[in-house]
């Protein structure tokens, strides 16, 4: 059996999102030697649509990958996000693991993913929904992990003072920028407006964007409830981070959210706008924390890292 310390892995990625960096850090702590290549032009995107880059940048990536493969001695290639799959599977020397994030199984990105991911030795997806969309029954379900040290319960009053929110107000957190189209801010706005009308009191819909990751736990803990209204997701980290803080979550039925929130109260998954309104109102009236932290421990980064190493061993 291959020891993690003997593994050299070349990671291909469209952008170094925070959860990707945490994945690399976890693997390196376990002794895996990781080298990362990023598609040129990553600074052009905001995390919403990798397609903002043109064909030129993706063509430039081919020689970059080939040069690195000639220069380095690797045991396997790990392609992260479906648009990196072509660069991995069109070489025939090393085993390939492809990790899909969520939006790469739908739309144009989904077409590219499905055209190339079938040639990978192993594919990981975030949820059963993604596996069905991909149409590959042997895909491993591996959610992205959560940092339980950084995301932890913090006194709500302390958190609100830190982020500058009204200490006596009622705050619903939409943890993205309002113009992040796939996250569907207009639905969140309608839900909060209806909850405010039903309760007869002010409810603030808070958004965050461009906040340093080390500050995000304070925003999460300052909220009475985190509201996710996305049209589609894989395994949204914001949900797991709120759970780790014991902050209630109300979400649309996307990705693995229903599975993650099973047994977590208060909060839940709504299949319609009316259900989302009812759930948010229920959480605000309860005025309590959730039991999310004890449930989310099963997807700590340590456990996810162990699973990835097992998959690496399987393909070697």
């Amino acid at each position: 059996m291959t020891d993690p310390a003997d593994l050299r892995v070349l990671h291909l990625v469209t952008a170094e999102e925070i959860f990707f960096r945490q994945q690399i850090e976890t693997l390196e702590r376990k002794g895996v030697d990781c080298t990362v290549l990023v598609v040129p032009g990553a600074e052009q995107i905001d995390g919403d649509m990798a397609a903002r880059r043109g064909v030129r940048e993706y063509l430039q990536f081919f020689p970059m990958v080939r040069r690195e493969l000639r220069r380095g001695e690797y045991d396997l290639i790990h392609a992260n996000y479906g648009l990196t799959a072509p660069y991995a599977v069109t070489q025939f020397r090393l085993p390939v693991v492809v990790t899909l994030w969520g939006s790469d199984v739908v739309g144009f990105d989904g077409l590219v993913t499905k055209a190339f991911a079938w040639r990978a030795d192993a594919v990981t997806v975030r949820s059963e929904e993604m596996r069905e969309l991909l149409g590959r029954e042997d895909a491993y379900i591996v959610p992205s992990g959560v940092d339980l040290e950084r995301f932890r319960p913090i006194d709500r009053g302390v958190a609100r003072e830190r982020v500058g929110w009204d200490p006596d107000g009622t705050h619903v957190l939409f943890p993205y920028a309002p113009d992040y189209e796939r996250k569907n801010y207009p639905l969140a706005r309608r839900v909060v407006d209806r909850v405010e009308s039903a309760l007869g009191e002010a409810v603030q819909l808070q958004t965050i964007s461009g906040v340093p990751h080390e500050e995000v736990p304070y925003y999460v803990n300052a909220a009475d409830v985190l509201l996710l209204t996305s049209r589609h997701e894989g395994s949204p980290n914001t949900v797991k981070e709120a759970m780790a803080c014991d902050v209630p979550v109300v979400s649309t039925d996307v990705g693995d959210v229903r599975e993650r929130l099973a047994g977590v109260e208060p909060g839940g998954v709504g299949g319609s706008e009316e259900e989302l309104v009812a759930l948010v109102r229920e959480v605000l009236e309860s005025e309590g924390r959730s039991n999310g932290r004890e449930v989310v421990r099963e997807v700590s980064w340590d456990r996810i890292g162990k699973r990835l190493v097992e998959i690496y061993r399987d393909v070697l």
Side-chain angles (χ1 to χ4, degrees):
M1 182 176 291
T2 306
D3 189 282
D6 297 328
L7 288 174
R8 296 195 64 196
V9 179
L10 177 61
H11 291 263
L12 311 180
V13 69
T14 53
E16 293 191 81
E17 303 284 358
I18 182 62
F19 62 83
F20 172 76
R21 294 198 296 270
Q22 291 172 336
Q23 172 183 295
I24 295 299
E25 291 167 2
T26 300
L27 290 170
E28 289 180 336
R29 284 197 299 271
K30 294 188 176 303
V32 179
D33 186 343
C34 298
T35 298
V36 176
L37 285 186
V38 184
V39 177
E43 69 280 358
Q44 300 174 29
I45 64 174
D46 61 6
D48 188 4
M49 296 184 68
R52 285 190 174 208
R53 282 174 289 203
V55 173
R56 183 180 64 178
E57 287 86 358
Y58 282 94
L59 288 176
Q60 290 172 345
F61 198 45
F62 264 111
M64 289 175 57
V65 174
R66 293 301 184 265
R67 283 195 299 269
E68 183 59 39
L69 288 173
R70 288 195 299 269
R71 187 184 68 174
E73 296 182 2
Y74 296 100
D75 297 296
L76 62 90
I77 301 178
H78 190 159
N80 298 270
Y81 198 85
L83 293 185
T84 65
Y87 308 93
V89 302
T90 51
Q91 60 78 44
F92 304 102
R93 183 168 60 88
L94 299 177
V96 174
V97 175
V98 173
T99 285
L100 305 180
W101 290 357
S103 59
D104 46 357
V105 294
V106 296
F108 173 78
D109 292 3
L111 295 176
V112 175
T113 296
K114 293 172 184 177
F116 290 94
W118 68 271
R119 295 183 59 183
D121 297 276
V123 176
T124 79
V125 294
R126 305 304 199 198
S127 65
E128 179 62 39
E129 177 188 50
M130 285 182 63
R131 183 156 63 183
E132 292 175 359
L133 286 170
L134 181 64
R136 183 161 169 170
E137 295 182 358
D138 64 342
Y140 298 91
I141 296 179
V142 183
S144 54
V146 61
D147 185 343
L148 292 175
E149 294 183 7
R150 173 167 290 175
F151 288 89
R152 66 197 188 283
I154 300 171
D155 179 80
R156 185 172 289 165
V158 171
R160 289 184 176 180
E161 182 177 3
R162 176 89 168 217
V163 304
W165 292 0
D166 178 1
D168 299 317
T170 300
H171 301 276
V172 175
L173 177 61
F174 176 84
Y176 309 100
D179 59 356
Y180 199 158
E181 184 179 355
R182 179 163 57 89
K183 305 301 183 179
N184 200 2
Y185 174 81
L187 174 56
R189 180 74 270 171
R190 293 197 304 273
V191 168
V192 171
D193 286 348
R194 290 179 61 179
V195 169
E196 185 175 58
S197 178
L199 293 178
E201 61 183 57
V203 179
Q204 298 296 317
L205 177 57
Q206 305 284 3
T207 65
I208 55 174
S209 178
V211 173
H213 197 243
E214 60 270 17
E215 291 297 311
V216 174
Y218 292 96
Y219 285 88
V220 173
N221 277 282
D224 294 282
V225 57
L226 183 139
L227 177 60
L228 185 80
T229 50
S230 298
R231 294 183 174 90
H232 55 83
E233 292 280 357
S235 178
N237 273 32
T238 52
V239 168
K240 289 169 287 190
E241 289 166 353
M243 291 172 65
C245 296
D246 282 340
V247 171
V249 176
V250 172
S251 174
T252 47
D253 193 1
V254 290
D256 68 347
V257 174
R258 185 176 291 278
E259 178 184 355
R260 297 275 76 82
L261 291 181
V264 178
E265 295 179 342
V269 173
S272 66
E273 183 174 322
E274 288 69 25
E275 290 180 2
L276 292 172
V277 170
L279 285 166
V280 171
R281 180 178 180 180
E282 180 182 301
V283 169
L284 296 181
E285 289 178 335
S286 74
E287 299 183 347
R289 291 264 186 168
S290 78
N291 61 328
R293 187 173 179 83
E294 65 183 69
V295 176
V296 83
R297 289 184 186 279
E298 67 180 53
V299 289
S300 68
W301 269 119
D302 182 65
R303 295 189 184 185
I304 297 304
K306 289 179 180 177
R307 187 70 180 115
L308 288 175
V309 171
E310 290 172 355
I311 293 170
Y312 290 167
R313 288 170 172 162
D314 286 345
V315 302
L316 290 173

